[in-house]
Amino acid sequence: MNGTTTSAPSGATSAARSLLLQLAAGAALGFVVLYGVAFAESPVAHNAAHDVRHVTVKPCH
């Protein structure tokens, strides 16, 4: 053993970090949209989200 270590190329690490950042940003945006519309004070936005739940046969009450 010569004491050297092998590590992943920096491009692979950067790509993995970029992918995780994109996934986290997408999930955060999804939650903001979901909760922002579901609990909106505007009846138009709330009713639109409510109607989508009925159309996709998901329980809402």
Side-chain angles (χ1 to χ4, degrees):
M1 308 255 316
N2 59 7
T4 59
T5 59
T6 3
S7 63
S10 64
T13 304
S14 176
R17 185 174 296 137
S18 175
L19 177 64
L20 288 174
L21 181 61
Q22 291 175 32
L23 289 172
L29 179 62
F31 281 121
V32 166
V33 169
L34 177 67
Y35 287 105
V37 171
F39 297 112
E41 292 294 323
S42 167
V44 173
H46 179 81
N47 290 338
H50 192 134
D51 292 344
V52 169
R53 290 191 64 84
H54 284 290
V55 168
T56 57
V57 192
K58 292 186 172 72
C60 59
H61 299 264

